[in-house]
Amino acid sequence: METAATPAANGLTFRDATDADVDTLVELIESAYRGDASRAGWTTEADILEGQRTDPEGVLQVIKSTDSRLLTVERDGQVVACCQLEHRGDHAYFGMFAVSPALQGAGLGKVIITEAERRARETWGVTEMHMTVISVRNDLIAWYERRGYRRTGRMTPFPYGDERFGIPQRDDLQFELLVKELA
């Protein structure tokens, strides 16, 4: 995986996160999904989950893992997005995807996911990208479907009772596996 900063389209720079990025990335991820600040964007989970989305330990674990990278995206020296890429044999896992709520809806996510797929394919030679999405997130799933991901119908339970993943406001939460073939 490339570790040096790589300039890309739209004035974005992609690089692997470092320990020094942990607090900034936790703040970004929380702002994209939880609390009132997340309502400025369209990816909010504030109506279905309260509490935290991640914590410094979880972010640091991704950064330190030998099979995982936390791709950090900057514009004009400011962190504006991130995503996790994890090598899992013949496929890569895509997760911890967050775009600053103020920048959502402007096409930034499309650029980032395309770059993440390219890096996973070129670095690890994987043929598929996998991700899990809370199954009631219909708008988000539809967005991923427009990017070529397909619903598999394979569900895993939400970790009710483990507040590290949030405090559910509904009793029907589960994760669905989405998969994309990488050409």
Side-chain angles (χ1 to χ4, degrees):
M1 186 70 55
E2 302 167 29
T3 56
T6 306
N10 302 331
L12 300 176
T13 301
F14 293 82
R15 63 174 175 79
D16 286 345
T18 67
D19 296 9
D21 295 311
V22 169
D23 291 340
T24 299
L25 292 171
V26 169
E27 183 178 330
L28 169 69
I29 294 163
E30 293 297 316
S31 74
Y33 291 98
R34 301 291 164 79
D36 287 336
S38 70
R39 294 181 195 281
W42 68 274
T43 62
T44 184
E45 295 172 343
D47 294 329
I48 60 172
L49 291 161
E50 292 181 353
Q52 71 180 31
R53 177 86 185 316
T54 191
D55 56 32
E57 294 78 20
V59 170
L60 192 58
Q61 183 178 4
V62 173
I63 291 170
K64 295 289 191 190
S65 173
T66 57
D67 291 325
S68 188
R69 298 289 184 265
L70 190 51
L71 192 59
T72 302
V73 184
E74 294 180 337
R75 179 182 278 162
D76 300 325
Q78 297 294 313
V79 175
V80 297
C82 67
C83 65
Q84 173 191 8
L85 293 171
E86 184 176 324
H87 186 207
R88 295 183 178 177
D90 65 346
H91 70 275
Y93 178 80
F94 179 82
M96 212 175 277
F97 187 28
V99 175
S100 172
L103 300 175
Q104 291 178 17
L108 192 58
K110 294 175 196 173
V111 173
I112 295 164
I113 198 167
T114 298
E115 177 65 10
E117 292 165 354
R118 183 193 71 78
R119 286 177 183 235
R121 187 177 53 250
E122 291 181 6
T123 303
W124 296 316
V126 295
T127 58
E128 289 183 341
M129 184 78 85
H130 291 199
M131 70 173 71
T132 55
V133 179
I134 297 174
S135 63
V136 299
R137 301 287 321 275
N138 295 319
D139 290 346
L140 185 58
I141 291 171
W143 187 86
Y144 284 122
E145 287 178 314
R146 291 190 298 275
R147 311 279 87 69
Y149 287 82
R150 64 176 172 75
R151 298 181 85 156
T152 64
R154 291 177 33 202
M155 303 291 183
T156 53
F158 186 86
Y160 284 91
D162 189 343
E163 291 188 8
R164 291 177 304 154
F165 300 97
I167 303 166
Q169 302 303 296
R170 310 169 50 146
D171 62 3
D172 62 343
L173 302 181
Q174 56 187 346
F175 294 105
E176 182 171 3
L177 176 66
L178 304 183
V179 175
K180 180 178 181 178
E181 299 288 330
L182 299 178

